[in-house]
mmCIF file of all heavy atoms in Angstrom:
data_model
loop_
_atom_site.group_PDB
_atom_site.id
_atom_site.type_symbol
_atom_site.label_atom_id
_atom_site.label_comp_id
_atom_site.label_asym_id
_atom_site.label_seq_id
_atom_site.Cartn_x
_atom_site.Cartn_y
_atom_site.Cartn_z
ATOM 1 N N ALA A 75 96.747 46.049 211.355
ATOM 2 C CA ALA A 75 96.383 46.094 210.086
ATOM 3 C C ALA A 75 97.352 46.963 209.282
ATOM 4 O O ALA A 75 97.790 46.751 208.150
ATOM 5 C CB ALA A 75 95.076 46.632 209.856
ATOM 6 N N LEU A 76 97.822 48.112 209.847
ATOM 7 C CA LEU A 76 98.660 49.008 209.243
ATOM 8 C C LEU A 76 100.146 48.399 209.118
ATOM 9 O O LEU A 76 100.809 48.661 208.159
ATOM 10 C CB LEU A 76 98.851 50.323 210.044
ATOM 11 C CG LEU A 76 97.644 51.349 210.065
ATOM 12 C CD1 LEU A 76 97.916 52.400 210.970
ATOM 13 C CD2 LEU A 76 97.540 51.725 208.520
ATOM 14 N N TRP A 77 100.551 47.569 210.111
ATOM 15 C CA TRP A 77 101.823 46.897 209.872
ATOM 16 C C TRP A 77 101.748 45.922 208.832
ATOM 17 O O TRP A 77 102.779 45.815 208.001
ATOM 18 C CB TRP A 77 102.215 46.185 211.278
ATOM 19 C CG TRP A 77 102.724 47.220 212.322
ATOM 20 C CD1 TRP A 77 102.213 47.428 213.484
ATOM 21 C CD2 TRP A 77 103.934 47.972 212.181
ATOM 22 N NE1 TRP A 77 102.966 48.374 214.132
ATOM 23 C CE2 TRP A 77 104.112 48.764 213.412
ATOM 24 C CE3 TRP A 77 104.965 48.028 211.275
ATOM 25 C CZ2 TRP A 77 105.193 49.604 213.677
ATOM 26 C CZ3 TRP A 77 105.951 48.960 211.496
ATOM 27 C CH2 TRP A 77 106.066 49.607 212.639
ATOM 28 N N VAL A 78 100.694 45.269 208.653
ATOM 29 C CA VAL A 78 100.486 44.461 207.435
ATOM 30 C C VAL A 78 100.505 45.113 206.083
ATOM 31 O O VAL A 78 101.151 44.785 205.213
ATOM 32 C CB VAL A 78 99.235 43.620 207.530
ATOM 33 C CG1 VAL A 78 98.815 42.796 206.242
ATOM 34 C CG2 VAL A 78 99.100 42.644 208.813
ATOM 35 N N ALA A 79 99.980 46.390 206.275
ATOM 36 C CA ALA A 79 99.998 47.196 205.007
ATOM 37 C C ALA A 79 101.429 47.810 204.694
ATOM 38 O O ALA A 79 101.825 47.826 203.602
ATOM 39 C CB ALA A 79 99.090 48.429 205.317
ATOM 40 N N VAL A 80 102.248 47.950 205.661
ATOM 41 C CA VAL A 80 103.652 48.395 205.547
ATOM 42 C C VAL A 80 104.360 47.257 204.782
ATOM 43 O O VAL A 80 105.021 47.513 203.806
ATOM 44 C CB VAL A 80 104.372 48.571 206.998
ATOM 45 C CG1 VAL A 80 105.867 48.771 206.724
ATOM 46 C CG2 VAL A 80 103.790 49.879 207.531
ATOM 47 N N VAL A 81 104.086 46.016 205.124
ATOM 48 C CA VAL A 81 104.811 44.860 204.528
ATOM 49 C C VAL A 81 104.414 44.862 203.034
ATOM 50 O O VAL A 81 105.152 44.685 202.249
ATOM 51 C CB VAL A 81 104.513 43.639 205.288
ATOM 52 C CG1 VAL A 81 105.058 42.408 204.547
ATOM 53 C CG2 VAL A 81 105.186 43.625 206.699
ATOM 54 N N ALA A 82 103.000 44.930 202.896
ATOM 55 C CA ALA A 82 102.458 44.697 201.460
ATOM 56 C C ALA A 82 102.957 45.941 200.669
ATOM 57 O O ALA A 82 103.353 45.556 199.491
ATOM 58 C CB ALA A 82 100.926 44.792 201.580
ATOM 59 N N PHE A 83 102.880 47.125 201.037
ATOM 60 C CA PHE A 83 103.462 48.211 200.284
ATOM 61 C C PHE A 83 105.020 48.095 199.972
ATOM 62 O O PHE A 83 105.415 48.410 198.797
ATOM 63 C CB PHE A 83 103.214 49.640 201.040
ATOM 64 C CG PHE A 83 101.899 50.092 200.847
ATOM 65 C CD1 PHE A 83 101.235 50.944 201.817
ATOM 66 C CD2 PHE A 83 101.215 50.052 199.525
ATOM 67 C CE1 PHE A 83 99.964 51.401 201.636
ATOM 68 C CE2 PHE A 83 99.982 50.681 199.298
ATOM 69 C CZ PHE A 83 99.334 51.299 200.335
ATOM 70 N N ALA A 84 105.685 47.638 200.980
ATOM 71 C CA ALA A 84 107.111 47.459 200.817
ATOM 72 C C ALA A 84 107.460 46.359 199.816
ATOM 73 O O ALA A 84 108.422 46.519 198.886
ATOM 74 C CB ALA A 84 107.862 47.214 202.051
ATOM 75 N N ALA A 85 106.649 45.375 199.750
ATOM 76 C CA ALA A 85 106.852 44.149 198.926
ATOM 77 C C ALA A 85 106.519 44.735 197.421
ATOM 78 O O ALA A 85 107.231 44.402 196.494
ATOM 79 C CB ALA A 85 105.794 43.124 199.209
ATOM 80 N N LEU A 86 105.397 45.463 197.219
ATOM 81 C CA LEU A 86 105.171 46.027 195.944
ATOM 82 C C LEU A 86 106.177 47.011 195.434
ATOM 83 O O LEU A 86 106.605 47.076 194.263
ATOM 84 C CB LEU A 86 103.743 46.662 196.063
ATOM 85 C CG LEU A 86 103.136 47.157 194.563
ATOM 86 C CD1 LEU A 86 103.141 46.030 193.516
ATOM 87 C CD2 LEU A 86 101.790 47.693 194.831
ATOM 88 N N ALA A 87 106.754 47.849 196.381
ATOM 89 C CA ALA A 87 107.834 48.690 195.972
ATOM 90 C C ALA A 87 109.092 47.884 195.505
ATOM 91 O O ALA A 87 109.537 48.286 194.447
ATOM 92 C CB ALA A 87 108.135 49.676 197.091
ATOM 93 N N LEU A 88 109.402 46.946 196.194
ATOM 94 C CA LEU A 88 110.613 46.156 195.817
ATOM 95 C C LEU A 88 110.306 45.487 194.514
ATOM 96 O O LEU A 88 111.216 45.278 193.719
ATOM 97 C CB LEU A 88 110.743 45.077 196.961
ATOM 98 C CG LEU A 88 112.140 44.250 196.737
ATOM 99 C CD1 LEU A 88 113.317 45.099 196.451
ATOM 100 C CD2 LEU A 88 112.267 43.330 197.921
ATOM 101 N N TRP A 89 109.147 45.023 194.376
ATOM 102 C CA TRP A 89 108.790 44.340 193.132
ATOM 103 C C TRP A 89 108.967 45.256 191.859
ATOM 104 O O TRP A 89 109.522 44.905 190.761
ATOM 105 C CB TRP A 89 107.344 43.712 193.025
ATOM 106 C CG TRP A 89 106.928 43.000 191.879
ATOM 107 C CD1 TRP A 89 106.511 43.385 190.626
ATOM 108 C CD2 TRP A 89 106.831 41.496 191.773
ATOM 109 N NE1 TRP A 89 106.356 42.397 189.776
ATOM 110 C CE2 TRP A 89 106.492 41.280 190.467
ATOM 111 C CE3 TRP A 89 107.231 40.621 192.656
ATOM 112 C CZ2 TRP A 89 106.389 39.946 190.060
ATOM 113 C CZ3 TRP A 89 107.138 39.124 192.237
ATOM 114 C CH2 TRP A 89 106.620 38.949 190.918
#
Side-chain angles (χ1 to χ4, degrees):
L76 285 177
W77 283 115
V78 172
V80 169
V81 173
F83 276 143
L86 187 50
L88 181 56
W89 187 278

